[in-house]
Each structure stands twice: as structure tokens, then as C-alpha cells.
Amino acid sequence: MDLSDAFALAEHLLERHGPPGWRVELDSAKRRAGVCRFGPRVIGLSAPLTVLHSEAEVRDTILHEIAHALVGPRHGHDETWRRTALALGSSGRRCVPADAPGVEPAWLGVCAAGHTSGRHRRPERVMTCGRCSRRFDLAHVLTWTHHGRPAVHHPNYEAELALLRTGGRPTRLPVGSRVRVTVAGEHHGRVGVVVKVGRTSYHLRAGRAVLRVPFAWVESV
């Protein structure tokens, strides 16, 4: 569906059925078609998925989220929410049908047996094939490509894989740790204190500056 038409439809349905004070936003989500954000009072639609879905599918997503806005955050997908969704004209399904169009993941992992696993973000942790073994097993480690080409991995991934292959286990340093930057470049050898542990990197206080450095590029001192 055209994004402008979808946005206009969402605004119309929200004005007709929704609680006052709410608004519509488009976002870049690739794993879910819509979302209800109670804090900012926003009905969100995934732009990448909306353009792939039919008008009927988009309408159902909008009404699904409006039902959430009406019943409140404590109801989830319970019977109260479902009754409200059905009364609005929604299908009352919890999720988009499995056969609905989806965004192809940019990252594709393949194991030695040929099983695949897709991701929309660059993998930062080592993964092994869950179909070959329910437990983490380096014998079934996934090899990744990005848009069909050999991938350049995140430095955390490369460091973790090398450590695992020597029998080690990755650890994260806590806030307050004193570390040195080990990667070549302008900050090589610089010493700082960890002030925050992010999803993929440490935030280091080094003098007046705060540096953001991947986990794999520091050592404890």
C-alpha cells in the first residue's frame, strides 16, 4: 500500500475510533507491522512492511493497534482486547498472518548442513544452528553473508569467535573498570574508565572526552 494513503487511512481510523490525543507515526521496523506506544500516545506503522501489505492488511493492523490504545496496556492480547478489536472491524488476530509479505533480512547465516537463519542487523554475537543442536555448539556455527556477499563481521563477533575456539568465554567489564584502547588509530593506547556498558561497546571517560569503543578493542589495565 502507498505510504501516504496508509498514513491518511490511519489518521482517519484513529480519529473515528481512537481515544483523543493520539497520533500516527511511520517507523523503520522490519519484524512487526504496527505498534501501540502508550507513553507518547502513538500508533506506529512499519514503513518497510506497509508498502508490501495490501490495504486490507494495513487496515487490520491499524485497527489492531487502536484496540490496544482503547483498552490500555494491562490487557495485552486478552479477551477484552479481542472483543474491542472485533467491534472495530479488525480480524482479532494477535499477529500478521505467516504468509503476509515480509522484508527479506540483509544478513543470512548458513550452517554446514545448509540450514539458514536471517537477521536484519549485523550479528554481534556468535550463533550456532538451532536445528542441528539445541545447545550452543561450535561444530554448527553459522557463516554469515550480507546481501549475498561474504560479510565483514563486527569486531566483537570476530573476537568472541576466536576466544570460543580456544576454549575461552567472553566477559564484560563492569562500570568503573580501567581499560586501554588496543585498536590501531588515533586512540591507540589511550587509557580510560568505563562509565557505561552499551549493547556493543564501552563508553570510556578519558580526560575530558568520552569514547565509544567496541568491547573487543579494549583491555583491562
Side-chain angles (χ1 to χ4, degrees):
M1 185 177 182
D2 178 81
L3 285 181
S4 296
D5 292 343
F7 192 87
L9 175 63
E11 288 194 316
H12 167 71
L13 292 174
L14 184 59
E15 182 179 0
R16 180 179 179 184
H17 300 294
W22 284 66
R23 68 182 188 276
V24 179
E25 288 184 357
L26 296 171
D27 57 45
S28 59
K30 298 180 179 67
R31 295 182 181 273
R32 53 102 182 120
V35 67
C36 177
R37 300 189 178 99
F38 293 98
R41 296 187 178 184
V42 167
I43 299 297
L45 292 178
S46 161
L49 290 173
T50 295
V51 297
L52 298 176
H53 291 171
S54 67
E55 181 177 344
E57 289 169 330
V58 173
R59 178 184 292 270
D60 194 54
T61 296
I62 296 166
L63 294 175
H64 174 120
E65 303 305 341
I66 291 175
H68 280 304
L70 289 170
V71 302
R74 291 187 296 176
H75 286 282
H77 291 109
D78 66 7
E79 190 57 34
T80 298
W81 167 83
R82 189 170 186 275
R83 284 197 304 268
T84 303
L86 290 172
L88 294 176
S90 167
S91 65
R93 291 190 298 258
R94 296 182 58 181
C95 303
V96 172
D99 59 353
V103 178
E104 288 294 324
W107 293 83
L108 187 68
V110 184
C111 75
H115 303 139
T116 61
S117 177
R119 293 290 182 275
H120 293 290
R121 290 183 175 182
R122 179 167 61 164
E124 293 150 8
R125 302 296 305 273
V126 177
M127 297 176 60
T128 62
C129 180
R131 293 179 62 184
C132 291
S133 174
R134 292 185 178 181
R135 301 180 62 182
F136 185 92
D137 187 345
L138 283 177
H140 306 294
V141 69
L142 297 176
T143 300
W144 294 91
T145 58
H146 183 237
H147 292 301
R149 298 188 176 188
V152 176
H153 289 106
H154 193 281
N156 292 339
Y157 183 99
E158 297 282 7
E160 182 178 359
L161 183 58
L163 184 63
L164 289 168
R165 283 175 170 166
T166 60
R169 289 290 183 270
T171 59
R172 295 287 178 264
L173 299 171
V175 170
S177 299
R178 187 174 172 82
V179 299
R180 178 185 294 112
V181 178
T182 59
V183 69
E186 65 172 310
H187 298 300
H188 176 73
R190 196 161 183 180
V191 175
V193 175
V194 177
V195 294
K196 180 180 177 181
V197 181
R199 187 170 58 88
T200 64
S201 58
Y202 296 116
H203 295 237
L204 311 179
R205 170 70 68 181
R208 294 183 177 181
V210 175
L211 311 177
R212 186 176 176 182
V213 185
F215 298 137
W217 290 354
V218 304
E219 63 182 6
S220 182
V221 296

